[in-house]
Amino acid sequence: MAKKLFVKTYGCQMNVYDSERMHGVMAAEGYEPTDRAEEADLILLNTCHIREKAAEKVYSELGRLKPLKEARPDLKIGVAGCVAQAEGEEILRRQPAVDFAVGPQAYHRLPALVANGGVDTEFPLEDKFLRMPAAPRRRAPTAFLTVQEGCDKFCAFCVVPYTRGAEVSRPAARLLGEARALAEQGVREITLLGQNVNAYHGEGPDGGDWTLARLLREIAGIEGIERLRYTTSHPNDMSDDLIAAHGELEKLMPYLHLPVQSGSDRVLKAMNRRHRADDYLALIERIRAARPDIALSGDFIVGFPGETEAEFAQTLALAEAVGYGSAFTFKYSSRPGTPAAGVGEQVPEPVKDERLARLNAVISRDQKAFQTSMVGRRLPVLVEKAGRLDGQMVGKSPWLHAVHFLAPAETAGQVVMVDVVESGPNSLSGRLAA
Ligand code: 5AD
Ligand code: SF4
């Protein structure tokens, strides 16, 4: 009987993609996926280290898994991802139920770790994905594709440059091959992933360096691919050719995640973001000039050490000025080993809570207004799957709104036109256009 693998994924979309590829590696070793930890022969936690809370979840989940291991000593438990990279040895010390820890750049060596245990947090020079067979896919019209990993930006608060390592771009020919294979399997929308995806500069088939814009143009030419997205980006890497691509490529969806973190120049400098608030606003203006219907999303950190009320007010003002389609907001969390850790005056927790609530109020007001503005419009919707109600299908608008409507099941995987009738708390509903 085939062995069973249960993977629990935390954190960002790159982890989601890595988890899929780990299923691929272990499928070649005879493991089938399961979504029940109780019946697994191998349990992998694919972890996130970005904020303190995310890292703590791993230890509590391991505590919950311990009885499974006690009942069945042949069960293997492994910790993957950024917590494994940052504190692999410590995990094995703190939780003896764990057999091995594997960092994000060593996943192709998973079978050896499963067999022998231990810690592998090396940063090999090779492209790990080259040695990771693709997992058999569940039929879905959308897919992720990691094109770049790591980050050289060293924002003062961020662990990514330490857990994921230096910026590495995968060769373009390999990515085009993977994109074609996805299209052949019925994928209509690909989201290109990278911690700093717009800094992509991979080797092209012609030997020269390809930019993200070039890569997007080529993937847009693949038959069957109808939508492209990319995430996540740093403002300083929004090059002219990438901005131009937003104007030229109809398949590139008009929705851009462009984190700014703060609206205060003093805080941005302390964060080592290397741009001012005005630079960001001017950039958004240029992007909107190239693609007028583009919507923005972003990331914000409130309560960075030393942030004053006046500085926070500048963040609020920036959020108001941009008018985000959506955004992620976080309270600053000190991460061991980062330049900001232990430096400067910590903002008290209740102040962080209060600032977060005020920022969220602005963001959710704008998000709601944007969603409501879709009512009465005819939108192209990529149909993903059946909805909860009888005969209902659900898909995504160009701006990632969930859209519900009555339609035949055969529309799954197609882009159809939907007249939007109503805006609910979390989704739109409408009628299939004739
Ligand atoms: N504390 C709070 N938020 C953080 N982020 C990254 N590091 C931290 C931290 N130490 C946020 C940033 C980043 C997003 C992925 O997570 O906003 O863009
Ligand atoms: Fe972290 Fe993003 Fe800054 Fe890189 S650019 S250090 S991943 S916040």
Side-chain angles (χ1 to χ4, degrees):
M1 213 175 69
K3 292 191 166 184
K4 290 206 155 61
L5 165 62
F6 172 77
V7 181
K8 182 159 182 171
T9 308
Y10 301 82
C12 65
Q13 292 150 323
M14 303 201 55
N15 270 7
V16 175
Y17 182 76
D18 285 346
S19 291
E20 264 176 44
R21 299 294 299 250
M22 285 194 269
H23 272 294
V25 172
M26 296 316 293
E29 304 285 316
Y31 283 81
E32 278 175 3
T34 173
D35 41 24
R36 292 185 50 230
E38 300 75 36
E39 63 168 29
D41 302 283
L42 170 61
I43 296 179
L44 278 174
L45 302 184
N46 192 5
T47 62
C48 172
H49 203 238
I50 197 97
R51 283 168 293 273
E52 196 181 347
K53 279 227 176 77
E56 276 168 5
K57 277 190 197 153
V58 181
Y59 288 101
S60 40
E61 182 65 25
L62 288 173
R64 279 194 291 276
L65 293 174
K66 199 172 155 218
L68 287 183
K69 173 90 172 184
E70 283 162 354
R72 283 183 27 228
D74 58 329
L75 166 68
K76 304 265 183 188
I77 299 181
V79 177
C82 294
V83 179
Q85 185 66 40
E87 42 198 69
E89 306 279 353
E90 197 191 325
I91 298 170
L92 268 65
R93 255 198 312 275
R94 251 176 87 173
Q95 183 46 273
V98 176
D99 296 284
F100 63 90
V102 56
Q105 302 313 326
Y107 293 153
H108 51 299
R109 300 202 286 238
L110 208 48
L113 283 159
V114 174
N116 309 320
V119 176
D120 191 343
T121 50
E122 294 285 299
F123 283 101
L125 288 173
E126 63 210 303
D127 178 3
K128 67 178 172 192
F129 293 122
L130 196 56
R131 298 220 269 126
M132 295 176 76
R137 285 182 51 83
R138 291 169 213 206
R139 253 194 103 74
T142 62
F144 293 135
L145 177 56
T146 293
V147 305
Q148 177 278 333
E149 271 191 274
C151 182
D152 295 342
K153 292 284 186 292
F154 292 92
C155 298
F157 50 81
C158 186
V159 288
V160 166
Y162 313 97
T163 57
R164 289 272 172 171
E167 227 179 83
V168 180
S169 296
R170 302 182 62 210
R174 217 168 283 159
L175 298 170
L176 291 174
E178 286 181 25
R180 273 185 217 107
L182 289 171
E184 276 160 25
Q185 291 165 53
V187 168
R188 297 292 162 255
E189 171 180 307
I190 299 182
T191 301
L192 305 185
L193 298 181
Q195 262 99 24
N196 212 331
V197 72
N198 59 342
Y200 177 86
H201 56 95
E203 186 194 332
D206 46 5
D209 246 15
W210 276 25
T211 60
L212 184 67
R214 179 79 196 271
L215 186 64
L216 286 164
R217 287 197 176 94
E218 299 291 332
I219 298 181
I222 295 174
E223 201 186 308
I225 298 302
E226 298 187 40
R227 290 182 165 189
L228 287 172
R229 307 176 186 277
Y230 63 89
T231 194
T232 178
S233 297
H234 191 287
N236 291 1
D237 290 313
M238 284 309 295
S239 61
D240 292 342
D241 70 333
L242 186 53
I243 295 174
H246 277 280
E248 289 160 22
L249 292 177
E250 215 180 309
K251 292 183 181 178
L252 184 54
M253 290 294 101
Y255 196 34
L256 177 63
H257 184 64
L258 198 56
V260 66
Q261 316 296 358
S262 169
S264 146
D265 289 343
R266 210 266 322 151
V267 174
L268 286 169
K269 189 148 201 260
M271 287 177 163
N272 193 32
R273 290 290 292 180
R274 300 167 203 256
H275 63 76
R276 291 164 304 163
D278 278 352
D279 301 326
Y280 180 83
L281 292 171
L283 174 63
I284 302 267
E285 234 170 81
R286 286 168 56 220
I287 297 167
R288 281 182 168 152
R291 181 81 199 231
D293 64 344
I294 203 160
L296 274 299
S297 92
D299 291 343
F300 290 91
I301 296 178
V302 303
F304 188 76
E307 184 189 69
T308 64
E309 169 60 29
E311 287 164 348
F312 170 69
Q314 293 177 313
T315 298
L316 274 184
L318 181 142
E320 300 250 8
V322 172
Y324 285 91
S326 80
F328 301 97
T329 56
F330 308 102
K331 290 190 282 180
Y332 172 72
S333 154
S334 174
R335 306 309 292 130
T338 59
V343 180
E345 198 186 328
Q346 300 303 307
V347 175
E349 213 50 35
V351 177
K352 285 188 199 169
D353 285 330
E354 185 252 357
R355 289 181 187 168
L356 188 71
R358 281 155 69 200
L359 181 57
N360 283 344
V362 169
I363 303 278
S364 49
R365 181 202 64 199
D366 289 349
Q367 178 172 350
K368 193 156 185 235
F370 180 57
Q371 190 185 302
T372 309
S373 76
M374 297 294 145
V375 175
R377 289 184 58 179
R378 178 169 289 188
L379 300 182
V381 172
L382 174 57
V383 188
E384 291 184 354
K385 55 184 181 200
R388 243 175 293 145
L389 304 181
D390 224 19
Q392 194 186 49
M393 299 298 283
V394 50
K396 293 279 162 63
S397 81
W399 301 278
L400 293 176
H401 302 111
V403 187
H404 298 265
F405 52 99
L406 295 176
E410 300 83 73
T411 54
Q414 297 174 18
V415 177
V416 300
M417 298 307 290
V418 175
D419 293 318
V420 178
V421 177
E422 207 182 304
S423 174
N426 300 307
S427 65
L428 299 169
S429 51
R431 270 187 227 104
L432 190 62

